[in-house]
């Protein structure tokens, strides 16, 4: 029988010691009555945490092995699985401590600018090429899952299911775990009144990207031109993906093909070509205003880089009309206005 409290289980590759420090400080600042901080991977001896080095797992992006290792040695009845680039809002515990009825739960996740960041979403089961879609916090779906950067669960739930140790980071590790938790009869919940920030720090992601590409290649059942284009985009082969999307764009004149082609060209360092395709996407039918907002934001960013500030401002205003909480667009538009007023 586990004691009542929280075991914070952090996995780290050792590339972000400053983020680790910020995470530990943000946990300590909650003043939780009973808790521990368990760390494995590549870090250091630190009196604030219980650290055991698992260097080989860290270097191989073997996050499931590290999550299971930490959870197995947890003293408390609640386990929180964490990436090392997360921080807790100052009032996280104040807002979370009243939530006691859950099996596997998430909370509201934000990026550093304050936008919602992939905390609770759905995906087509068993399809490594599928794109996730954000869910409303109260929604349920057969493909729903909670992202692995923050998962809170009863220790008994983890003990009954456990993470699949054959999966590395970005190999649907969190998706697979959540789906098996649901299949075992447990429920997923989200508590959006409690907030964490996922800083999405890019340091140390090289092995993760290799794991991701390996997973897609191994599990791809791409049989159509659309599947093949999506696969190439996912593994970041932007040149090949652009070729596929150009063929699709000629055939179908669809928003997704135009947008993805623009994105590929932008990643390849071809802003003029990217702008052409983004503008075609903006003129096409699109299923959601958020997608159109993203298109106008890319257009505005490219125009800003070209020094076409008036046109950039128009594009950013369209972004904010469609999605008023688009923080990046707001920041860029504000900088344009500040420069204009100062000139």
């Amino acid at each position: 029988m586990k004691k009542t409290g929280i075991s914070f289980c952090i996995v780290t590759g050792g590339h972000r010691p400053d983020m680790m420090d910020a995470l530990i400080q943000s946990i300590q600042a909650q003043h939780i009555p009973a808790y521990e901080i368990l760390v494995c991977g590549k870090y250091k001896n630190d009196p604030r945490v219980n650290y055991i080095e698992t260097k080989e797992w860290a270097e191989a992006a073997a996050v499931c092995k590290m999550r299971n290792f930490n959870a197995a040695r947890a003293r408390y009845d609640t386990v929180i699985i964490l990436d090392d680039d997360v921080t807790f809002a100052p009032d996280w515990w104040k807002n979370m401590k009243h939530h006691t009825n859950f099996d596997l739960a998430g909370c509201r996740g934000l990026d550093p600018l304050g936008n919602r960041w992939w905390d609770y979403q759905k995906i087509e089961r068993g399809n490594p090429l599928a794109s996730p879609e954000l869910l409303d916090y109260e929604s349920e779906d057969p493909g729903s899952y909670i992202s692995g950067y923050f998962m809170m669960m009863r220790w008994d739930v983890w003990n009954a299911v456990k993470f699949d140790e054959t999966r590395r980071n970005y190999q649907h590790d969190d998706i697979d775990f959540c789906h098996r938790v649901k299949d075992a009869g447990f429920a997923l919940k989200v508590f959006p009144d409690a907030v964490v920030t996922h800083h999405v720090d890019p340091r140390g992601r090289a092995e993760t990207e290799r794991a991701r590409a390996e997973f897609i290649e191994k599990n791809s059942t791409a049989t159509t031109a659309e599947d093949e284009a999506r696969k190439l985009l996912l593994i970041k082969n932007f040149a090949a993906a652009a070729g596929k999307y150009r063929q699709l764009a000629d055939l179908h004149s669809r928003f997704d093909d135009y947008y993805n082609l623009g994105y590929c060209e932008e990643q390849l360092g071809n802003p003029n070509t990217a702008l052409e395709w983004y503008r075609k996407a903006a003129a096409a039918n699109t299923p959601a205003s958020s997608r159109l907002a993203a298109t106008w934001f890319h257009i505005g960013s490219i125009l800003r880089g070209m020094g076409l500030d008036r046109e950039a401002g128009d594009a950013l205003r369209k972004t904010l009309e469609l999605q008023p909480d688009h923080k990046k667009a707001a920041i860029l538009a504000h900088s344009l206005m500040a420069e204009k007023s100062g000139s």
Side-chain angles (χ1 to χ4, degrees), residues 15-54:
H15 301 92
R16 305 182 284 225
D18 52 335
M19 292 305 311
M20 276 291 293
D21 187 59
L23 169 54
I24 293 166
Q25 288 185 39
S26 75
I27 293 172
Q28 290 181 317
Q30 304 298 318
H31 301 295
I32 299 168
Y35 76 95
E36 63 181 345
I37 303 175
L38 306 176
V39 178
C40 72
K42 290 172 64 179
Y43 187 49
K44 63 183 179 180
N45 291 321
D46 186 320
R48 300 172 296 176
V49 307
N50 183 335
Y51 169 60
I52 296 180
E53 183 177 279
T54 56

Side-chain angles (χ1 to χ4, degrees), residues 96 104-108 119 146 150-152 188-192 194:
M96 181 61 81
L104 172 60
C107 65
R108 182 172 178 81
D119 43 17
I146 293 163
F150 175 95
M151 287 181 173
M152 182 173 69
L188 270 58
K189 284 189 177 181
V190 186
F191 303 119

Side-chain angles (χ1 to χ4, degrees), residues 124-155:
E124 179 186 347
R125 285 194 175 216
N127 182 0
L129 300 183
S131 298
E133 298 177 38
L134 280 171
L135 285 171
D136 293 334
Y137 292 124
E138 64 277 3
S139 298
E140 295 184 8
D141 188 274
S144 63
Y145 72 98
I146 293 163
S147 290
Y149 68 83
F150 175 95
M151 287 181 173
M152 182 173 69
M153 68 195 78
R154 292 188 293 107
W155 186 88

Side-chain angles (χ1 to χ4, degrees), residues 20 59 63 75 78 126 143 170 188 191 218 221 301 315 335:
M20 276 291 293
E59 291 175 348
V63 292
R75 288 191 294 154
T78 297
Y170 275 55
L188 270 58
F191 303 119
K218 180 180 178 180
T221 56
S301 298
S335 70

Side-chain angles (χ1 to χ4, degrees), residues 104-123:
L104 172 60
C107 65
R108 182 172 178 81
L110 304 177
D111 69 12
L113 294 174
N115 296 297
R116 184 179 170 193
W117 182 263
W118 299 106
D119 43 17
Y120 178 59
Q121 50 274 321
K122 68 176 181 177
I123 196 167

Side-chain angles (χ1 to χ4, degrees), residues 15-304:
H15 301 92
R16 305 182 284 225
D18 52 335
M19 292 305 311
M20 276 291 293
D21 187 59
L23 169 54
I24 293 166
Q25 288 185 39
S26 75
I27 293 172
Q28 290 181 317
Q30 304 298 318
H31 301 295
I32 299 168
Y35 76 95
E36 63 181 345
I37 303 175
L38 306 176
V39 178
C40 72
K42 290 172 64 179
Y43 187 49
K44 63 183 179 180
N45 291 321
D46 186 320
R48 300 172 296 176
V49 307
N50 183 335
Y51 169 60
I52 296 180
E53 183 177 279
T54 56
K55 186 177 179 180
E56 290 184 3
W57 293 346
E59 291 175 348
V63 292
C64 291
K65 290 182 178 180
M66 292 190 284
R67 290 168 181 160
N68 284 340
F69 181 80
N70 274 338
R73 61 196 185 101
R75 288 191 294 154
Y76 295 113
D77 60 354
T78 297
V79 169
I80 295 182
I81 302 297
L82 289 165
D83 284 356
D84 63 0
D85 59 344
V86 174
T87 51
F88 289 78
D91 60 356
W92 180 86
W93 174 242
K94 176 184 175 183
N95 293 324
M96 181 61 81
K97 63 184 178 181
H98 305 295
H99 298 301
T100 57
N101 182 24
F102 61 86
D103 296 326
L104 172 60
C107 65
R108 182 172 178 81
L110 304 177
D111 69 12
L113 294 174
N115 296 297
R116 184 179 170 193
W117 182 263
W118 299 106
D119 43 17
Y120 178 59
Q121 50 274 321
K122 68 176 181 177
I123 196 167
E124 179 186 347
R125 285 194 175 216
N127 182 0
L129 300 183
S131 298
E133 298 177 38
L134 280 171
L135 285 171
D136 293 334
Y137 292 124
E138 64 277 3
S139 298
E140 295 184 8
D141 188 274
S144 63
Y145 72 98
I146 293 163
S147 290
Y149 68 83
F150 175 95
M151 287 181 173
M152 182 173 69
M153 68 195 78
R154 292 188 293 107
W155 186 88
D156 289 342
V157 172
W158 168 82
N159 192 44
V161 180
K162 296 187 176 64
F163 290 91
D164 178 359
E165 295 189 0
T166 67
R167 296 174 185 262
R168 300 196 290 151
N169 201 19
Y170 275 55
Q171 294 191 338
H172 283 207
D173 48 282
D174 46 4
I175 297 168
D176 168 75
F177 179 75
C178 290
H179 289 174
R180 287 189 294 111
V181 164
K182 293 171 67 176
D183 292 345
F186 300 113
L188 270 58
K189 284 189 177 181
V190 186
F191 303 119
D193 51 337
V195 176
V196 299
T197 297
H198 187 203
H199 295 273
V200 203
D201 193 308
R203 289 173 290 176
R205 292 191 180 271
E207 190 57 34
T208 288
E209 291 297 336
R210 281 190 285 270
R212 184 170 181 260
E214 170 192 287
F215 176 75
I216 293 167
E217 187 65 40
K218 180 180 178 180
N219 293 282
S220 174
T221 56
T223 57
T224 66
E226 288 83 354
D227 287 343
E228 185 62 27
R230 176 67 179 161
K231 172 185 170 182
L232 291 167
L233 182 60
L234 284 170
I235 64 175
K236 301 186 178 181
N237 187 343
F238 296 119
K244 290 288 183 181
Y245 279 119
R246 191 170 287 105
Q247 294 172 12
L248 290 169
D250 290 341
L251 283 172
H252 302 297
S253 302
R254 295 178 303 199
F255 169 85
D256 283 349
D257 300 328
Y258 291 148
Y259 179 89
N260 288 329
L261 183 49
Y263 181 78
C264 289
E265 293 291 354
E266 187 176 9
Q267 299 305 306
L268 290 167
N270 302 321
N272 288 301
T273 308
L275 190 60
E276 174 189 347
W277 292 110
Y278 281 135
R279 281 175 165 156
K280 287 189 175 184
N285 291 326
T286 179
S289 61
S290 61
R291 301 293 308 280
L292 187 55
T295 306
W296 281 112
F297 175 71
H298 282 284
I299 291 171
S301 298
I302 292 172
L303 290 169
R304 174 77 165 103

